[in-house]
Amino acid sequence: MKMTFRWYGEDDKITLEKIRQIPNMYSVVTAVYDVPVGEVWSEESIRRLKTVTEKSGLKMEVIESVPVHEDIKLGLPTRDKYIEAYKENIRRLGKAGVKCICYNFMPVFDWTRTQLDKVSFDGSTSLVYYADQLEKMDPLNGELSLPGWDSSYKKEDLRKLFDQYKSVDEEKLFENLKYFLEQIIPVAQQCDVKMAIHPDDPPWSIFGLPRIITNEKNIDRFLKLVDNPYNGLTFCVGSLGADPKNDIVSMVDKYSKMGRIHFMHIRNVKHVENGFEETAHDQKYGSMDIVGIVRALVKNGWDGYVRPDHGRMIWGETGKPGYGLYDRALGASYINGVWEAVELLS
Ligand code: DNO
């Protein structure tokens, strides 16, 4: 496996120098952040990211994300122009040595939590999702904002989008995804860039919007939409694992055996009555069988990219919720340790 770490570019206060010192670190996971969703990234910005990354001794082989414009998800006539731009981004990134692009197909909102600073038993804080808190949230008031969300929407944009999604159910969303994949996967293959869809987080419909990358049945269907190894997965343990019905170890085993997992997000999540709580990465704190997951990957000779995922805030750190340095570095070290042990014992 190749260990990676998300880096939000030159404005990230977690510098490349720090990331570089985490044991076994291979590549950053990054993106060009100053371009509106749907537009082509300038070659200059891509080159600059690559140059600074490589100067620090790291690689830039994974992009998270090249976001998908809502018109593509909605299946509007304007989608073709955004798909052309998407293809051009794949080409440009491929030229810069990128091997894997993570993206998602969640309508309007990316990952969603109801509280970002839940105090845990040891005084650390983490991200949680409680159904009763979600019911009280109004996505249309224009005040909600989460770190993963596109913050450019105004109140009126959100209302319009919600209206447009009234005619898009799960079937339609699958159709629109197929249309998109049929066009981008051949380009990805030509450029030798693996496309890796991120599951929906949480893996169920929220605010009445459809979500489809949620469980094994739907992922099987997704992989068949375009049955090509370049059409693969970011297997996010915490996202799919939030639903206790998903058998994570067996899914990881199955999809890694098929050669369809290109990127693993490994983190732990604890099921609670009313939702879930993010915890330290270590197996004993949550509901995920992290060792079982790693064992399946090692058994299948899997050699993709891995990153620790959301960390708690510990040691007084402040910053982007889920994306501090300390707990994610501990997460990376934990995953390295589990990996090493599983390899040695197998
Ligand atoms: C959360 C992330 C997601 C992910 C996107 C991929 O922390 O895993 O925001 O980057 O969904 O497009």
Short mmCIF file of all heavy atoms in Angstrom, two decimals, residues 156-198:
data_model
loop_
_atom_site.label_atom_id
_atom_site.label_comp_id
_atom_site.label_asym_id
_atom_site.label_seq_id
_atom_site.Cartn_x
_atom_site.Cartn_y
_atom_site.Cartn_z
N GLU A 156 -30.72 31.41 -2.40
CA GLU A 156 -31.58 31.22 -3.59
C GLU A 156 -31.08 30.05 -4.45
O GLU A 156 -31.88 29.30 -5.00
CB GLU A 156 -31.60 32.47 -4.51
CG GLU A 156 -31.79 33.80 -3.81
CD GLU A 156 -30.49 34.32 -3.19
OE1 GLU A 156 -29.60 34.71 -3.95
OE2 GLU A 156 -30.38 34.34 -1.94
N ASP A 157 -29.74 29.89 -4.51
CA ASP A 157 -29.20 28.77 -5.30
C ASP A 157 -29.66 27.45 -4.71
O ASP A 157 -30.01 26.51 -5.43
CB ASP A 157 -27.66 28.75 -5.28
CG ASP A 157 -27.06 30.05 -5.73
OD1 ASP A 157 -27.68 30.72 -6.56
OD2 ASP A 157 -25.96 30.41 -5.25
N LEU A 158 -29.63 27.39 -3.40
CA LEU A 158 -30.01 26.14 -2.74
C LEU A 158 -31.46 25.80 -3.01
O LEU A 158 -31.81 24.66 -3.31
CB LEU A 158 -29.79 26.25 -1.22
CG LEU A 158 -28.33 26.12 -0.79
CD1 LEU A 158 -28.18 26.48 0.69
CD2 LEU A 158 -27.82 24.69 -1.02
N ARG A 159 -32.30 26.81 -2.91
CA ARG A 159 -33.73 26.59 -3.18
C ARG A 159 -33.95 26.07 -4.59
O ARG A 159 -34.68 25.12 -4.82
CB ARG A 159 -34.49 27.92 -3.00
CG ARG A 159 -35.45 27.89 -1.88
CD ARG A 159 -36.08 29.24 -1.61
NE ARG A 159 -35.76 29.62 -0.25
CZ ARG A 159 -36.24 29.04 0.84
NH1 ARG A 159 -37.10 28.04 0.75
NH2 ARG A 159 -35.89 29.42 2.05
N LYS A 160 -33.27 26.67 -5.52
CA LYS A 160 -33.40 26.28 -6.92
C LYS A 160 -32.92 24.83 -7.10
O LYS A 160 -33.60 24.01 -7.73
CB LYS A 160 -32.59 27.24 -7.79
CG LYS A 160 -32.67 26.93 -9.24
CD LYS A 160 -32.33 28.13 -10.13
CE LYS A 160 -32.24 27.65 -11.57
NZ LYS A 160 -30.92 27.83 -12.18
N LEU A 161 -31.78 24.54 -6.50
CA LEU A 161 -31.24 23.18 -6.63
C LEU A 161 -32.20 22.14 -6.04
O LEU A 161 -32.46 21.10 -6.63
CB LEU A 161 -29.92 23.07 -5.88
CG LEU A 161 -28.67 23.40 -6.66
CD1 LEU A 161 -27.45 23.40 -5.74
CD2 LEU A 161 -28.46 22.39 -7.78
N PHE A 162 -32.73 22.47 -4.88
CA PHE A 162 -33.68 21.53 -4.26
C PHE A 162 -34.89 21.31 -5.15
O PHE A 162 -35.38 20.20 -5.27
CB PHE A 162 -34.10 22.02 -2.87
CG PHE A 162 -33.26 21.43 -1.76
CD1 PHE A 162 -31.94 21.81 -1.61
CD2 PHE A 162 -33.77 20.48 -0.89
CE1 PHE A 162 -31.14 21.25 -0.61
CE2 PHE A 162 -32.99 19.92 0.11
CZ PHE A 162 -31.67 20.31 0.25
N ASP A 163 -35.33 22.36 -5.80
CA ASP A 163 -36.47 22.24 -6.73
C ASP A 163 -36.11 21.34 -7.89
O ASP A 163 -36.87 20.47 -8.30
CB ASP A 163 -36.86 23.61 -7.29
CG ASP A 163 -37.86 24.29 -6.38
OD1 ASP A 163 -38.41 23.58 -5.51
OD2 ASP A 163 -38.06 25.52 -6.53
N GLN A 164 -34.90 21.58 -8.42
CA GLN A 164 -34.47 20.78 -9.57
C GLN A 164 -34.36 19.30 -9.21
O GLN A 164 -34.66 18.43 -10.01
CB GLN A 164 -33.14 21.29 -10.11
CG GLN A 164 -33.26 22.63 -10.81
CD GLN A 164 -31.89 23.18 -11.19
OE1 GLN A 164 -31.01 23.30 -10.35
NE2 GLN A 164 -31.71 23.53 -12.43
N TYR A 165 -33.95 19.02 -8.00
CA TYR A 165 -33.78 17.62 -7.60
C TYR A 165 -35.11 16.92 -7.35
O TYR A 165 -35.12 15.70 -7.19
CB TYR A 165 -32.86 17.50 -6.37
CG TYR A 165 -31.41 17.38 -6.78
CD1 TYR A 165 -30.52 18.44 -6.62
CD2 TYR A 165 -30.93 16.21 -7.37
CE1 TYR A 165 -29.19 18.34 -7.03
CE2 TYR A 165 -29.61 16.10 -7.78
CZ TYR A 165 -28.75 17.17 -7.61
OH TYR A 165 -27.45 17.06 -8.03
N LYS A 166 -36.19 17.68 -7.34
CA LYS A 166 -37.50 17.03 -7.13
C LYS A 166 -37.77 15.98 -8.20
O LYS A 166 -38.47 15.01 -7.97
CB LYS A 166 -38.61 18.07 -7.10
CG LYS A 166 -38.67 18.75 -5.75
CD LYS A 166 -39.91 19.60 -5.60
CE LYS A 166 -39.82 20.37 -4.29
NZ LYS A 166 -40.26 21.76 -4.42
N SER A 167 -37.22 16.21 -9.41
CA SER A 167 -37.49 15.24 -10.47
C SER A 167 -36.37 14.22 -10.63
O SER A 167 -36.32 13.47 -11.61
CB SER A 167 -37.71 15.99 -11.78
OG SER A 167 -36.56 16.77 -12.05
N VAL A 168 -35.44 14.19 -9.68
CA VAL A 168 -34.34 13.22 -9.78
C VAL A 168 -34.44 12.23 -8.63
O VAL A 168 -34.17 12.57 -7.48
CB VAL A 168 -32.97 13.94 -9.75
CG1 VAL A 168 -31.82 12.93 -9.84
CG2 VAL A 168 -32.86 14.95 -10.87
N ASP A 169 -34.86 11.03 -8.96
CA ASP A 169 -34.88 9.99 -7.91
C ASP A 169 -33.63 9.13 -8.07
O ASP A 169 -32.75 9.44 -8.87
CB ASP A 169 -36.17 9.16 -7.99
CG ASP A 169 -36.33 8.52 -9.37
OD1 ASP A 169 -35.37 8.59 -10.18
OD2 ASP A 169 -37.39 7.93 -9.64
N GLU A 170 -33.55 8.05 -7.31
CA GLU A 170 -32.34 7.23 -7.37
C GLU A 170 -32.08 6.68 -8.77
O GLU A 170 -30.95 6.64 -9.23
CB GLU A 170 -32.44 6.08 -6.37
CG GLU A 170 -32.33 6.55 -4.95
CD GLU A 170 -32.20 5.41 -3.95
OE1 GLU A 170 -32.04 4.25 -4.39
OE2 GLU A 170 -32.27 5.69 -2.74
N GLU A 171 -33.17 6.26 -9.43
CA GLU A 171 -33.01 5.71 -10.79
C GLU A 171 -32.40 6.73 -11.73
O GLU A 171 -31.51 6.45 -12.50
CB GLU A 171 -34.38 5.27 -11.34
CG GLU A 171 -34.84 3.92 -10.84
CD GLU A 171 -33.79 2.82 -11.02
OE1 GLU A 171 -33.32 2.64 -12.16
OE2 GLU A 171 -33.42 2.18 -10.02
N LYS A 172 -32.94 7.93 -11.66
CA LYS A 172 -32.48 9.00 -12.54
C LYS A 172 -31.02 9.35 -12.23
O LYS A 172 -30.22 9.60 -13.13
CB LYS A 172 -33.40 10.20 -12.31
CG LYS A 172 -33.27 11.28 -13.32
CD LYS A 172 -34.20 11.01 -14.51
CE LYS A 172 -33.97 11.98 -15.63
NZ LYS A 172 -33.04 11.75 -16.64
N LEU A 173 -30.70 9.34 -10.95
CA LEU A 173 -29.33 9.67 -10.56
C LEU A 173 -28.36 8.62 -11.10
O LEU A 173 -27.27 8.95 -11.59
CB LEU A 173 -29.25 9.78 -9.03
CG LEU A 173 -28.02 10.48 -8.45
CD1 LEU A 173 -27.87 11.91 -8.96
CD2 LEU A 173 -28.09 10.51 -6.91
N PHE A 174 -28.77 7.35 -11.02
CA PHE A 174 -27.96 6.28 -11.62
C PHE A 174 -27.78 6.51 -13.12
O PHE A 174 -26.68 6.34 -13.66
CB PHE A 174 -28.62 4.91 -11.39
CG PHE A 174 -27.99 4.14 -10.25
CD1 PHE A 174 -28.73 3.81 -9.11
CD2 PHE A 174 -26.66 3.72 -10.32
CE1 PHE A 174 -28.14 3.09 -8.07
CE2 PHE A 174 -26.08 3.00 -9.28
CZ PHE A 174 -26.82 2.68 -8.16
N GLU A 175 -28.87 6.88 -13.78
CA GLU A 175 -28.79 7.13 -15.23
C GLU A 175 -27.81 8.25 -15.54
O GLU A 175 -27.01 8.16 -16.47
CB GLU A 175 -30.16 7.62 -15.71
CG GLU A 175 -30.90 6.73 -16.65
CD GLU A 175 -32.31 7.29 -16.84
OE1 GLU A 175 -32.45 8.42 -17.37
OE2 GLU A 175 -33.28 6.60 -16.41
N ASN A 176 -27.89 9.31 -14.74
CA ASN A 176 -27.01 10.46 -14.98
C ASN A 176 -25.55 10.11 -14.70
O ASN A 176 -24.63 10.60 -15.35
CB ASN A 176 -27.45 11.66 -14.14
CG ASN A 176 -28.85 12.12 -14.53
OD1 ASN A 176 -29.34 11.79 -15.62
ND2 ASN A 176 -29.51 12.87 -13.65
N LEU A 177 -25.36 9.24 -13.72
CA LEU A 177 -24.01 8.80 -13.39
C LEU A 177 -23.46 7.96 -14.54
O LEU A 177 -22.30 8.10 -14.95
CB LEU A 177 -24.03 8.00 -12.08
CG LEU A 177 -22.72 7.40 -11.58
CD1 LEU A 177 -21.62 8.45 -11.51
CD2 LEU A 177 -22.91 6.79 -10.18
N LYS A 178 -24.31 7.11 -15.09
CA LYS A 178 -23.88 6.26 -16.21
C LYS A 178 -23.45 7.13 -17.40
O LYS A 178 -22.41 6.92 -18.01
CB LYS A 178 -25.04 5.34 -16.61
CG LYS A 178 -24.71 4.37 -17.72
CD LYS A 178 -25.82 3.33 -17.84
CE LYS A 178 -25.46 2.16 -18.60
NZ LYS A 178 -25.44 1.87 -19.86
N TYR A 179 -24.27 8.11 -17.71
CA TYR A 179 -23.98 9.02 -18.83
C TYR A 179 -22.59 9.67 -18.65
O TYR A 179 -21.79 9.75 -19.57
CB TYR A 179 -25.08 10.09 -18.87
CG TYR A 179 -24.97 11.06 -20.01
CD1 TYR A 179 -25.68 10.86 -21.19
CD2 TYR A 179 -24.20 12.22 -19.90
CE1 TYR A 179 -25.61 11.78 -22.23
CE2 TYR A 179 -24.11 13.14 -20.93
CZ TYR A 179 -24.83 12.91 -22.10
OH TYR A 179 -24.75 13.82 -23.13
N PHE A 180 -22.34 10.08 -17.42
CA PHE A 180 -21.06 10.73 -17.08
C PHE A 180 -19.91 9.74 -17.23
O PHE A 180 -18.90 10.02 -17.89
CB PHE A 180 -21.19 11.25 -15.64
CG PHE A 180 -19.94 11.79 -15.01
CD1 PHE A 180 -19.28 12.90 -15.52
CD2 PHE A 180 -19.42 11.19 -13.86
CE1 PHE A 180 -18.14 13.41 -14.90
CE2 PHE A 180 -18.27 11.68 -13.25
CZ PHE A 180 -17.63 12.79 -13.77
N LEU A 181 -20.08 8.55 -16.63
CA LEU A 181 -19.00 7.55 -16.66
C LEU A 181 -18.67 7.11 -18.08
O LEU A 181 -17.50 6.91 -18.42
CB LEU A 181 -19.39 6.32 -15.83
CG LEU A 181 -19.52 6.53 -14.32
CD1 LEU A 181 -20.10 5.28 -13.66
CD2 LEU A 181 -18.18 6.88 -13.69
N GLU A 182 -19.71 6.94 -18.88
CA GLU A 182 -19.46 6.47 -20.25
C GLU A 182 -18.55 7.42 -21.01
O GLU A 182 -17.84 7.04 -21.91
CB GLU A 182 -20.79 6.28 -21.00
CG GLU A 182 -21.42 4.95 -20.64
CD GLU A 182 -22.83 4.77 -21.18
OE1 GLU A 182 -23.45 5.78 -21.60
OE2 GLU A 182 -23.31 3.63 -21.16
N GLN A 183 -18.60 8.67 -20.62
CA GLN A 183 -17.74 9.63 -21.31
C GLN A 183 -16.38 9.80 -20.67
O GLN A 183 -15.39 9.99 -21.36
CB GLN A 183 -18.45 10.97 -21.39
CG GLN A 183 -19.78 10.82 -22.10
CD GLN A 183 -20.28 12.15 -22.57
OE1 GLN A 183 -19.54 12.91 -23.21
NE2 GLN A 183 -21.52 12.45 -22.29
N ILE A 184 -16.34 9.74 -19.36
CA ILE A 184 -15.02 10.04 -18.74
C ILE A 184 -14.12 8.81 -18.60
O ILE A 184 -12.90 8.95 -18.64
CB ILE A 184 -15.13 10.75 -17.37
CG1 ILE A 184 -15.86 9.86 -16.35
CG2 ILE A 184 -15.81 12.10 -17.48
CD1 ILE A 184 -15.46 10.16 -14.94
N ILE A 185 -14.69 7.63 -18.45
CA ILE A 185 -13.83 6.47 -18.18
C ILE A 185 -12.87 6.16 -19.35
O ILE A 185 -11.68 5.90 -19.11
CB ILE A 185 -14.65 5.23 -17.75
CG1 ILE A 185 -15.38 5.52 -16.41
CG2 ILE A 185 -13.76 3.98 -17.61
CD1 ILE A 185 -14.49 5.85 -15.22
N PRO A 186 -13.32 6.24 -20.61
CA PRO A 186 -12.35 6.01 -21.69
C PRO A 186 -11.18 7.00 -21.65
O PRO A 186 -10.04 6.63 -21.92
CB PRO A 186 -13.19 6.20 -22.97
CG PRO A 186 -14.61 5.96 -22.54
CD PRO A 186 -14.70 6.41 -21.12
N VAL A 187 -11.46 8.23 -21.27
CA VAL A 187 -10.39 9.23 -21.19
C VAL A 187 -9.45 8.86 -20.04
O VAL A 187 -8.22 8.91 -20.16
CB VAL A 187 -10.98 10.65 -20.95
CG1 VAL A 187 -9.88 11.67 -20.77
CG2 VAL A 187 -11.91 11.02 -22.09
N ALA A 188 -10.04 8.46 -18.91
CA ALA A 188 -9.22 8.07 -17.75
C ALA A 188 -8.30 6.90 -18.13
O ALA A 188 -7.13 6.86 -17.76
CB ALA A 188 -10.12 7.69 -16.58
N GLN A 189 -8.86 5.98 -18.88
CA GLN A 189 -8.06 4.82 -19.29
C GLN A 189 -6.90 5.24 -20.20
O GLN A 189 -5.77 4.84 -19.98
CB GLN A 189 -8.96 3.81 -20.01
CG GLN A 189 -8.22 2.56 -20.44
CD GLN A 189 -9.15 1.37 -20.61
OE1 GLN A 189 -10.36 1.54 -20.78
NE2 GLN A 189 -8.60 0.18 -20.55
N GLN A 190 -7.23 6.08 -21.17
CA GLN A 190 -6.16 6.58 -22.05
C GLN A 190 -5.05 7.25 -21.26
O GLN A 190 -3.89 7.15 -21.60
CB GLN A 190 -6.74 7.65 -22.98
CG GLN A 190 -7.15 7.17 -24.35
CD GLN A 190 -8.10 8.21 -24.97
OE1 GLN A 190 -8.05 9.40 -24.65
NE2 GLN A 190 -8.96 7.74 -25.87
N CYS A 191 -5.44 7.98 -20.22
CA CYS A 191 -4.46 8.75 -19.46
C CYS A 191 -3.88 7.94 -18.31
O CYS A 191 -3.08 8.47 -17.53
CB CYS A 191 -5.10 10.02 -18.90
SG CYS A 191 -5.81 11.06 -20.14
N ASP A 192 -4.34 6.73 -18.15
CA ASP A 192 -3.92 5.87 -17.04
C ASP A 192 -4.17 6.51 -15.67
O ASP A 192 -3.31 6.51 -14.79
CB ASP A 192 -2.43 5.48 -17.19
CG ASP A 192 -2.08 4.32 -16.27
OD1 ASP A 192 -2.98 3.56 -15.88
OD2 ASP A 192 -0.88 4.18 -15.92
N VAL A 193 -5.35 7.06 -15.52
CA VAL A 193 -5.76 7.65 -14.24
C VAL A 193 -6.95 6.85 -13.73
O VAL A 193 -7.97 6.74 -14.42
CB VAL A 193 -6.18 9.12 -14.41
CG1 VAL A 193 -6.73 9.68 -13.11
CG2 VAL A 193 -5.02 9.96 -14.90
N LYS A 194 -6.83 6.29 -12.53
CA LYS A 194 -7.93 5.50 -11.98
C LYS A 194 -8.97 6.43 -11.35
O LYS A 194 -8.64 7.28 -10.52
CB LYS A 194 -7.40 4.54 -10.91
CG LYS A 194 -6.33 3.57 -11.43
CD LYS A 194 -6.98 2.30 -11.91
CE LYS A 194 -6.06 1.33 -12.62
NZ LYS A 194 -4.84 0.95 -11.92
N MET A 195 -10.21 6.28 -11.76
CA MET A 195 -11.29 7.08 -11.18
C MET A 195 -11.84 6.31 -9.97
O MET A 195 -12.08 5.11 -10.05
CB MET A 195 -12.40 7.31 -12.20
CG MET A 195 -11.99 8.16 -13.40
SD MET A 195 -11.31 9.79 -12.98
CE MET A 195 -12.70 10.56 -12.13
N ALA A 196 -12.03 7.02 -8.86
CA ALA A 196 -12.40 6.36 -7.61
C ALA A 196 -13.54 7.11 -6.93
O ALA A 196 -13.31 8.10 -6.24
CB ALA A 196 -11.18 6.28 -6.70
N ILE A 197 -14.75 6.63 -7.13
CA ILE A 197 -15.89 7.35 -6.55
C ILE A 197 -15.90 7.19 -5.03
O ILE A 197 -15.59 6.11 -4.51
CB ILE A 197 -17.23 6.85 -7.16
CG1 ILE A 197 -18.34 7.90 -6.95
CG2 ILE A 197 -17.67 5.51 -6.56
CD1 ILE A 197 -19.60 7.67 -7.77
N HIS A 198 -16.21 8.26 -4.36
CA HIS A 198 -16.32 8.24 -2.90
C HIS A 198 -17.76 7.92 -2.53
O HIS A 198 -18.68 8.49 -3.11
CB HIS A 198 -15.93 9.62 -2.35
CG HIS A 198 -15.81 9.67 -0.86
ND1 HIS A 198 -16.90 9.67 -0.03
CD2 HIS A 198 -14.72 9.72 -0.06
CE1 HIS A 198 -16.47 9.72 1.23
NE2 HIS A 198 -15.15 9.75 1.24
#
